[in-house]
Amino acid sequence: MVERIVAAGARVLEDSGHQDASTNRIAREAAVSPGSLYQYFPDKDAIIAEITRRLIDDFASAITPALRQAATEQPAVATGLVLGAVLDALQQHAPLLRALVDRVPAVEQQEALQSVRGRLADIVYHSLAANRQALRHADVERATWTIVEFTQHLLVRYVLDSPSIEREDFLADVARMILNLAFDIEVDQQDDQSH
């Protein structure tokens, strides 16, 4: 029953958006009575919280292989791996992401994303620390925060806005910006070192 309600809630959000989603519409979509829905979820916000949690879990599972591989690669290769995996995971859930991102308060988004962001930050931090001699500045914490925030916002906007920029061009541009932000070497030199 919970699975039916959550799946129906996701479909209603994707089709109608947050504002037009209601427990009655979700119950209709799930083919259950509103009373049955309320046995499992007290309100629409509880359903949306569960949908968000599952979305983040799916996202974390999808990027885990790239994070593991990135941990053993040079920064240029690691950056490309992680960016590609994150973009793939976001695009896989684009309609639901679109429905949620502008409607779920920022504080709730931060709380829900905390574990995923922590994993991304760990990979970035360790990659930067391992290449400390080439960093633009010695503050690894500062560089890590900037890169994680920059990347998160830019990739989400790319998925939501669907600009007329080819995916590979976009990923190459973002990777170049990240590497130029962090390292005091030319990106071409970093690419050469990774081959």
Side-chain angles (χ1 to χ4, degrees), residues 34-162:
S36 294
L37 182 146
Y38 288 122
Q39 289 179 343
Y40 299 96
F41 296 98
D43 55 26
K44 174 178 93 169
D45 291 338
I47 298 168
I48 291 172
E50 180 62 17
I51 292 166
T52 303
R53 185 192 65 75
R54 289 177 183 212
L55 179 67
I56 290 167
D57 287 349
D58 288 350
F59 175 80
S61 295
I63 67 169
T64 293
L67 291 177
R68 286 184 181 144
Q69 185 177 353
T72 64
E73 300 288 351
Q74 291 295 316
V77 174
T79 300
L81 285 170
V82 173
L83 288 175
V86 170
L87 187 57
D88 288 346
L90 291 172
Q91 287 179 317
Q92 182 180 353
H93 298 289
L96 190 53
L97 180 67
R98 190 169 286 109
L100 292 172
V101 78
D102 293 328
R103 304 291 186 212
V104 176
V107 172
E108 289 179 30
Q109 288 181 37
Q110 293 294 346
E111 288 173 8
L113 287 169
Q114 189 172 4
S115 66
V116 174
R117 290 167 54 88
R119 292 170 69 193
L120 286 170
D122 285 346
I123 293 294
V124 171
Y125 182 90
H126 291 297
S127 180
L128 294 175
N131 295 279
R132 189 180 301 268
Q133 73 285 355
L135 291 180
R136 285 196 182 277
H137 52 80
D139 191 344
V140 177
E141 291 285 345
R142 171 182 150 197
T144 298
W145 184 87
T146 303
I147 289 168
V148 171
E149 291 298 315
F150 170 79
T151 303
Q152 173 191 331
H153 292 291
L154 202 54
L155 292 177
V156 168
R157 290 313 327 164
Y158 181 81
V159 171
L160 296 180
D161 297 344
S162 301

